[in-house]
Amino acid sequence: MSRLGSQSTYRGRYNEPVPTSNIMEDDADLPEFEPFDDDDVTLSEATPRGPAPGGGTLSVCVVDMCQPINKPNHQTVGYDIQNLVVRRGLEFLVRITFNRPLSGGDDFQLEFLIGANPSASKGSMVVVTFGSRQGGAWAGRVVENEGASVLVGVTPTPDAIVGKFRTYVAVVAARGMQRTRRDQSTDVYVLFNAWCPDAVFVPDEAARREYVLNDYGVIYQGEATAISQRSWMYGQFEKGILDACIYILDVSRMPIYNRGNIIQLVRKGSAMLNSQDDNGVLVGNWSDDFSMGTSPTLWTGSVNILLKYVNGGVPVCFAQCWVFAGVFNTFLRCLGIPARVITNFSSAHDNTGNLKTDLIFKPDGSPDKRHTRDSIWNYHCWNEVFMTRPDLPAGLGGWQVVDSTPQETSDGHFRCGPASVAAIKEGLLCHPFDAGFCFAEVNSDVVFLKRDRYGTLTPFRVDSTHVGQAVYTKAIGSDTPFNITQTYKHREGSAQDRQTMDRAEEYGCARDHSELPESQLSVIMNSDKANLGQDINLLVDFQNQGDTPRTVQAHLCGSVNFYTGVEANRFKDYSFSVTVPPSQSERVVVRITPQEYLPQLGSQLSLHFVVTGQALDQSVSAIKVVNLQTPPLHLMVSGRPQVQQEMFVTVSFTNPFNFVLENVHLALEGPGLMHYRTRHYNVISPQATISWQEAFMPRMQGPRRLIAALDCNNLRQVSGIADIMIDA
Amino acid sequence: MSRLGSQSTYRGRYNEPVPTSNIMEDDADLPEFEPFDDDDVTLSEATPRGPAPGGGTLSVCVVDMCQPINKPNHQTVGYDIQNLVVRRGLEFLVRITFNRPLSGGDDFQLEFLIGANPSASKGSMVVVTFGSRQGGAWAGRVVENEGASVLVGVTPTPDAIVGKFRTYVAVVAARGMQRTRRDQSTDVYVLFNAWCPDAVFVPDEAARREYVLNDYGVIYQGEATAISQRSWMYGQFEKGILDACIYILDVSRMPIYNRGNIIQLVRKGSAMLNSQDDNGVLVGNWSDDFSMGTSPTLWTGSVNILLKYVNGGVPVCFAQCWVFAGVFNTFLRCLGIPARVITNFSSAHDNTGNLKTDLIFKPDGSPDKRHTRDSIWNYHCWNEVFMTRPDLPAGLGGWQVVDSTPQETSDGHFRCGPASVAAIKEGLLCHPFDAGFCFAEVNSDVVFLKRDRYGTLTPFRVDSTHVGQAVYTKAIGSDTPFNITQTYKHREGSAQDRQTMDRAEEYGCARDHSELPESQLSVIMNSDKANLGQDINLLVDFQNQGDTPRTVQAHLCGSVNFYTGVEANRFKDYSFSVTVPPSQSERVVVRITPQEYLPQLGSQLSLHFVVTGQALDQSVSAIKVVNLQTPPLHLMVSGRPQVQQEMFVTVSFTNPFNFVLENVHLALEGPGLMHYRTRHYNVISPQATISWQEAFMPRMQGPRRLIAALDCNNLRQVSGIADIMIDA
């Protein structure tokens, strides 16, 4: 049944359909002259029928939204948009020029309307008065009254609906209200406000500048011990982006009435950023085949994605988690919501809603891909939003997890959060939304199980430290990774940590309590930094804590994995044996050559090694993820770094491999500097260098960044940046 | 993007697609002979290659699911289905007949599989062993070993997946496992278990019989002071219904792994019962036009709806709240979940998630339909499920609200609950799921607002007792309405009630705190019982608590309303004036004739009266809903009331009106007695009587009920029953 159809079968439920869009037919609004309902009853007696008081009928000549004053006050100068943008809870000014000076008997009001059938009781029609007569919830005052021109101040309440309001001035005439004509240039966008007493208030100015105003940033990837970073252009101020964010809410059919509620709004946003169920913004694709769209690794920012979505009206192909998180961050900051992208290294994606990630091994010690259902993502990106949680007990406000990457798990929700980070830390999983799911992502135990010949599983090792190794976000004011693991978890093994885990278990998170044989043998695996195309040295250290020598039958398995932990191709199966003297350790160095892994690589850059060992009754196991470092992309900038002056950037790249790169795409953009541009090369020969020059003209001043990416079927994750300081 | 498409783009996320269906291709299951993986490595040494021990290869001849013993033990005799149905947490028996008696060296196991790619670590493949060798989580024991036949007991864990398992017996042979062939007749349905330590355990046997086993019941409608009742055939044991319930979960694509979790399962159920978003069971229709389907008032039970849904594969037209609740109740009880239908009289359906229902009036005192967005449903039906809530703090288990009627409000969820009734009572709205929404349904304040000529709203009265006047459900073992209001609310005005309201407000439920002028005038409105087609006397009592006489300018407005409180047609606008002496009251009797309301009635039976009065500065207001009583439908039963004996029922009806009833539909059914049958009459003339006889043959013994309904465009809500005691 179509949604439109449902309106007609719902006639008996609502007097008017609940409005769900900011878009408004111009002629469907309030009448220009609205006679008083009660005219005949009382007013004809009370008011003289002659000309109105004050020397002729009062009428409105000009309504000026005072952008040059309001925008700096509201920190909205950056928005590349014709209309005024304000943040709620803070006064903005409007100058009204009448046909004559006001006199004592004159009465007028401002009216702000949003959505169809605006309603005073729902906050979608707000009447602002300037005298003794009572108006709606937004405060109004006359700031200055000079001749025929009146400067008034209007303060939207800190819980006002967020979106695009239509502005009218209505003059009280003898028999009714005389209203200005609809004028799109006086439409005003009302945003959340991190500077004021609002649900998203942030006390610190540097934090506000980073989390609301910064229009580019860094997203961390790779692995916890070898973090790589990728710059991302949020571009929340670019032309068309604010309208795109409101368009997303309109597509979601979220009732206008609820759009002042930050909890409902971010939850809806997390659902709308992915295309599942709701024709949302981005289509996820975790395969190797991106031929029907843009590879997730080619995007350099959110702007082009959002504009594509608005112009095409269909979901944009393709995204993986950092793309979902990057675009969601744009959506949030654009609407004035303090937000950041975080990366959780070794992120558990179970879930039957428990705290166990089960990895299953065959009797010979090799991973049993067929029977393993869970996976640990090398990393997973989500967003955090800073806000109060009046719906929860005290202490659970602050940063909240929201995640727009579609989780096929859980009970089919393709939305996640807001979940209080503080609640996750304390194991208070009894509160909405999805706290248990987020808790498992950072806290799952990894259970290593051996599957016997009859199909029965027996646990032989539990690793409670592997998952959620580290949580990082970009530091305020720099590109440095800022470790926020301690906001999610107490120190592993501390008393508080145990308390948290116990509490989580009380709230129904099933944990593993397998009784394991006490182990006197252990293994750890490390590697040096690994560059794509070069040798990798794997250091496998067996330790014998017992007092007799032990001979270990070991098996090392190497595979190319998706970053989601799922095996793409296996390239190494190596059995060996090592004898470890009592109370000593023995190192085995395994050299992995590019001849082994390059042919299996596909588009993936993540190698996954599992070693298992068996010594009589003892089983040991270790996992090591090696992320291959890609060659650099160089950006060089020339020209005078000044607003509205032409500048040039040259992107260059040298193919370091002895094979040809084919069908190579490059992308380039910079917020306030340059819109998204692309370039295509059919081939880049071995050792060949390509060079691409583009001109651009800075729109915004201050520190700015150009971001470039290179992408082809057998080389992804290549990017580069250039930072420029633009003068005014 | 189609869901199927999403599987291929998710290749890098799962080794195998997450199974979401009970339906299984016969040949896609485990191989009949599965060689041991580790055969060459260890087993060839350990096991002799000659004939197996015990005198020839062991093989399975017959697997008998022992239905005559298991069904009574598991309270599943009623299910009209070929296969065994058991409740988890309780042992059931299987008799395996081998080709020869077992000897010491023999080893075999039972295997229970559900969904595609069954997984031992996720509980969708369970290995049950009967000796010292370790198996899966379900306990197994040999009960009896006689010759070649072995009787074994299998106890599914109390958290087992709920659905249809495939049963195999596997014999351990020298080189691998020898398995029985797939045999649909040994499939076993595993249900929730209210009799055992399970999340849905109910201590009281009478309660279990009512809430799990009773296959018909009563749903209350009308208004709090004149409750009407409608019998409903849940029919959870009828042929095809258990498969239909599993089919609904399969359509929802709920992962098999999560189907043992009662919280996730009922939440998914509440989403699937309505067609929004997910192609669910029922299409809501609150208009007057049901020409494209069956009128909600014609259904007499759930069976025909569920069978239509399964056979048609598309949502069934049409439902209103009691139909959603009735079918959801069938779904729940059929899966073994204790459940009941409840009715909340004067149920608030507010749009902004706050605790205010705003009714707006024009300056002249008449209801301002155009500006009123909220509505109070005369009644609303939802379901309660009895279960533990391990995800919440202690004390919040027990009855939980689940509601499958699509709520256009909230943030676009077309699902609701489970929300703890105890949490609602205490205002603990900080827990999932949707407790705030349910809280508002029973606790909203009704705010009466006057809208002035400038569009500004001013409250003049707040009624905190109108909403949630009473909550009823059918009593255990009888048709009597059982008042459960005190499970949802403390006594109005008590200290605990104030505490609850304060707590709700702390958790972000905005309440009304308007300062109202102290009133010395009040009005209440009553009526005598109103039969359709007869006069109604409205008693309007004005009370003057002041010490001077007051003259009230009053306005009475009468309209035909949908049961959702939304006005369909207005038929009366009556202004009058009354003078009330100090400290006295004055009654005005307004007679409403059928000539006034009958022409406006359409299909609705609910008249809505609003009186407002104005005396100088005092404004008063009262609302009265009058539900028109319909003529009866008579059922008369004859024949010997015994299982498998032919009986007859005659349904008769007399048109009491002086107008013709056209296009009249009748429906008739009874659980365990008769499948859904219908009859159509083109016309029933004024005062004419129709009579319809049907034969039937009882399938089940004990107290049984036949339920009939009559429905046409200008007469709905006509129904009748006949209770019969069927002998064995």
Side-chain angles (χ1 to χ4, degrees), chain A residues 214-229:
Chain A
N214 201 352
D215 55 354
Y216 60 89
V218 167
I219 299 176
Y220 301 104
Q221 299 179 319
E223 34 152 347
T225 54
I227 295 178
S228 60
Q229 65 183 55

PDB file of all heavy atoms in Angstrom, chain A residues 214-229:
ATOM      1  N   ASN A 214      33.688  23.092  12.114  1.00  0.00           N
ATOM      2  CA  ASN A 214      34.750  22.580  11.258  1.00  0.00           C
ATOM      3  C   ASN A 214      34.137  21.802  10.093  1.00  0.00           C
ATOM      4  O   ASN A 214      33.352  20.881  10.304  1.00  0.00           O
ATOM      5  CB  ASN A 214      35.720  21.688  12.044  1.00  0.00           C
ATOM      6  CG  ASN A 214      37.060  21.565  11.333  1.00  0.00           C
ATOM      7  OD1 ASN A 214      37.203  22.029  10.189  1.00  0.00           O
ATOM      8  ND2 ASN A 214      38.036  20.959  11.985  1.00  0.00           N
ATOM      9  N   ASP A 215      34.491  22.204   8.874  1.00  0.00           N
ATOM     10  CA  ASP A 215      33.857  21.572   7.713  1.00  0.00           C
ATOM     11  C   ASP A 215      34.757  20.556   7.029  1.00  0.00           C
ATOM     12  O   ASP A 215      34.465  20.086   5.950  1.00  0.00           O
ATOM     13  CB  ASP A 215      33.307  22.614   6.735  1.00  0.00           C
ATOM     14  CG  ASP A 215      34.352  23.613   6.278  1.00  0.00           C
ATOM     15  OD1 ASP A 215      35.491  23.569   6.815  1.00  0.00           O
ATOM     16  OD2 ASP A 215      34.042  24.440   5.412  1.00  0.00           O
ATOM     17  N   TYR A 216      35.881  20.196   7.661  1.00  0.00           N
ATOM     18  CA  TYR A 216      36.624  19.034   7.201  1.00  0.00           C
ATOM     19  C   TYR A 216      37.262  18.357   8.403  1.00  0.00           C
ATOM     20  O   TYR A 216      37.322  18.937   9.492  1.00  0.00           O
ATOM     21  CB  TYR A 216      37.654  19.385   6.134  1.00  0.00           C
ATOM     22  CG  TYR A 216      38.713  20.377   6.556  1.00  0.00           C
ATOM     23  CD1 TYR A 216      39.901  19.947   7.151  1.00  0.00           C
ATOM     24  CD2 TYR A 216      38.546  21.739   6.352  1.00  0.00           C
ATOM     25  CE1 TYR A 216      40.884  20.852   7.523  1.00  0.00           C
ATOM     26  CE2 TYR A 216      39.521  22.659   6.735  1.00  0.00           C
ATOM     27  CZ  TYR A 216      40.684  22.213   7.330  1.00  0.00           C
ATOM     28  OH  TYR A 216      41.638  23.109   7.704  1.00  0.00           O
ATOM     29  N   GLY A 217      37.719  17.150   8.207  1.00  0.00           N
ATOM     30  CA  GLY A 217      38.283  16.430   9.337  1.00  0.00           C
ATOM     31  C   GLY A 217      38.994  15.181   8.874  1.00  0.00           C
ATOM     32  O   GLY A 217      39.278  15.016   7.689  1.00  0.00           O
ATOM     33  N   VAL A 218      39.274  14.327   9.824  1.00  0.00           N
ATOM     34  CA  VAL A 218      40.058  13.128   9.542  1.00  0.00           C
ATOM     35  C   VAL A 218      39.304  11.921  10.093  1.00  0.00           C
ATOM     36  O   VAL A 218      38.751  11.985  11.190  1.00  0.00           O
ATOM     37  CB  VAL A 218      41.444  13.248  10.212  1.00  0.00           C
ATOM     38  CG1 VAL A 218      42.166  11.916  10.205  1.00  0.00           C
ATOM     39  CG2 VAL A 218      42.269  14.310   9.508  1.00  0.00           C
ATOM     40  N   ILE A 219      39.272  10.862   9.311  1.00  0.00           N
ATOM     41  CA  ILE A 219      38.664   9.609   9.774  1.00  0.00           C
ATOM     42  C   ILE A 219      39.773   8.562   9.842  1.00  0.00           C
ATOM     43  O   ILE A 219      40.548   8.427   8.898  1.00  0.00           O
ATOM     44  CB  ILE A 219      37.544   9.154   8.811  1.00  0.00           C
ATOM     45  CG1 ILE A 219      36.442  10.227   8.747  1.00  0.00           C
ATOM     46  CG2 ILE A 219      36.961   7.817   9.255  1.00  0.00           C
ATOM     47  CD1 ILE A 219      35.332   9.925   7.749  1.00  0.00           C
ATOM     48  N   TYR A 220      39.858   7.855  10.965  1.00  0.00           N
ATOM     49  CA  TYR A 220      40.931   6.878  11.154  1.00  0.00           C
ATOM     50  C   TYR A 220      40.506   5.509  10.673  1.00  0.00           C
ATOM     51  O   TYR A 220      39.359   5.099  10.848  1.00  0.00           O
ATOM     52  CB  TYR A 220      41.382   6.856  12.614  1.00  0.00           C
ATOM     53  CG  TYR A 220      41.862   8.224  13.038  1.00  0.00           C
ATOM     54  CD1 TYR A 220      41.077   9.049  13.831  1.00  0.00           C
ATOM     55  CD2 TYR A 220      43.065   8.723  12.550  1.00  0.00           C
ATOM     56  CE1 TYR A 220      41.489  10.329  14.160  1.00  0.00           C
ATOM     57  CE2 TYR A 220      43.487  10.004  12.872  1.00  0.00           C
ATOM     58  CZ  TYR A 220      42.697  10.803  13.675  1.00  0.00           C
ATOM     59  OH  TYR A 220      43.107  12.075  13.974  1.00  0.00           O
ATOM     60  N   GLN A 221      41.483   4.800  10.087  1.00  0.00           N
ATOM     61  CA  GLN A 221      41.225   3.456   9.561  1.00  0.00           C
ATOM     62  C   GLN A 221      42.420   2.571   9.891  1.00  0.00           C
ATOM     63  O   GLN A 221      43.260   2.942  10.705  1.00  0.00           O
ATOM     64  CB  GLN A 221      41.018   3.545   8.033  1.00  0.00           C
ATOM     65  CG  GLN A 221      39.834   4.419   7.646  1.00  0.00           C
ATOM     66  CD  GLN A 221      39.661   4.527   6.141  1.00  0.00           C
ATOM     67  OE1 GLN A 221      40.619   4.651   5.407  1.00  0.00           O
ATOM     68  NE2 GLN A 221      38.423   4.461   5.690  1.00  0.00           N
ATOM     69  N   GLY A 222      42.487   1.400   9.255  1.00  0.00           N
ATOM     70  CA  GLY A 222      43.634   0.520   9.452  1.00  0.00           C
ATOM     71  C   GLY A 222      43.453  -0.356  10.668  1.00  0.00           C
ATOM     72  O   GLY A 222      42.412  -0.985  10.839  1.00  0.00           O
ATOM     73  N   GLU A 223      44.488  -0.409  11.511  1.00  0.00           N
ATOM     74  CA  GLU A 223      44.431  -1.256  12.700  1.00  0.00           C
ATOM     75  C   GLU A 223      44.976  -0.467  13.887  1.00  0.00           C
ATOM     76  O   GLU A 223      45.700   0.523  13.710  1.00  0.00           O
ATOM     77  CB  GLU A 223      45.238  -2.544  12.473  1.00  0.00           C
ATOM     78  CG  GLU A 223      46.444  -2.326  11.595  1.00  0.00           C
ATOM     79  CD  GLU A 223      47.594  -3.272  11.841  1.00  0.00           C
ATOM     80  OE1 GLU A 223      47.602  -3.984  12.853  1.00  0.00           O
ATOM     81  OE2 GLU A 223      48.512  -3.252  11.027  1.00  0.00           O
ATOM     82  N   ALA A 224      44.649  -0.929  15.066  1.00  0.00           N
ATOM     83  CA  ALA A 224      44.949  -0.156  16.271  1.00  0.00           C
ATOM     84  C   ALA A 224      46.435   0.163  16.405  1.00  0.00           C
ATOM     85  O   ALA A 224      46.813   1.225  16.878  1.00  0.00           O
ATOM     86  CB  ALA A 224      44.462  -0.915  17.505  1.00  0.00           C
ATOM     87  N   THR A 225      47.298  -0.772  15.961  1.00  0.00           N
ATOM     88  CA  THR A 225      48.729  -0.545  16.130  1.00  0.00           C
ATOM     89  C   THR A 225      49.360   0.124  14.912  1.00  0.00           C
ATOM     90  O   THR A 225      50.552   0.408  14.916  1.00  0.00           O
ATOM     91  CB  THR A 225      49.451  -1.884  16.400  1.00  0.00           C
ATOM     92  OG1 THR A 225      49.102  -2.785  15.343  1.00  0.00           O
ATOM     93  CG2 THR A 225      49.022  -2.463  17.730  1.00  0.00           C
ATOM     94  N   ALA A 226      48.592   0.331  13.859  1.00  0.00           N
ATOM     95  CA  ALA A 226      49.123   1.029  12.680  1.00  0.00           C
ATOM     96  C   ALA A 226      47.972   1.814  12.057  1.00  0.00           C
ATOM     97  O   ALA A 226      47.428   1.448  11.016  1.00  0.00           O
ATOM     98  CB  ALA A 226      49.726   0.044  11.685  1.00  0.00           C
ATOM     99  N   ILE A 227      47.627   2.897  12.746  1.00  0.00           N
ATOM    100  CA  ILE A 227      46.475   3.691  12.325  1.00  0.00           C
ATOM    101  C   ILE A 227      46.786   4.425  11.029  1.00  0.00           C
ATOM    102  O   ILE A 227      47.842   5.027  10.896  1.00  0.00           O
ATOM    103  CB  ILE A 227      46.124   4.719  13.422  1.00  0.00           C
ATOM    104  CG1 ILE A 227      45.669   3.994  14.685  1.00  0.00           C
ATOM    105  CG2 ILE A 227      45.056   5.687  12.955  1.00  0.00           C
ATOM    106  CD1 ILE A 227      45.357   4.907  15.828  1.00  0.00           C
ATOM    107  N   SER A 228      45.883   4.360  10.073  1.00  0.00           N
ATOM    108  CA  SER A 228      46.023   5.214   8.895  1.00  0.00           C
ATOM    109  C   SER A 228      44.901   6.241   8.939  1.00  0.00           C
ATOM    110  O   SER A 228      43.919   6.065   9.646  1.00  0.00           O
ATOM    111  CB  SER A 228      45.959   4.371   7.619  1.00  0.00           C
ATOM    112  OG  SER A 228      44.721   3.706   7.544  1.00  0.00           O
ATOM    113  N   GLN A 229      45.087   7.333   8.226  1.00  0.00           N
ATOM    114  CA  GLN A 229      44.050   8.349   8.303  1.00  0.00           C
ATOM    115  C   GLN A 229      43.649   8.819   6.929  1.00  0.00           C
ATOM    116  O   GLN A 229      44.402   8.740   5.971  1.00  0.00           O
ATOM    117  CB  GLN A 229      44.483   9.506   9.191  1.00  0.00           C
ATOM    118  CG  GLN A 229      45.653  10.310   8.686  1.00  0.00           C
ATOM    119  CD  GLN A 229      46.021  11.386   9.699  1.00  0.00           C
ATOM    120  OE1 GLN A 229      46.273  11.088  10.869  1.00  0.00           O
ATOM    121  NE2 GLN A 229      46.034  12.627   9.264  1.00  0.00           N
TER     122      GLN A 229
END
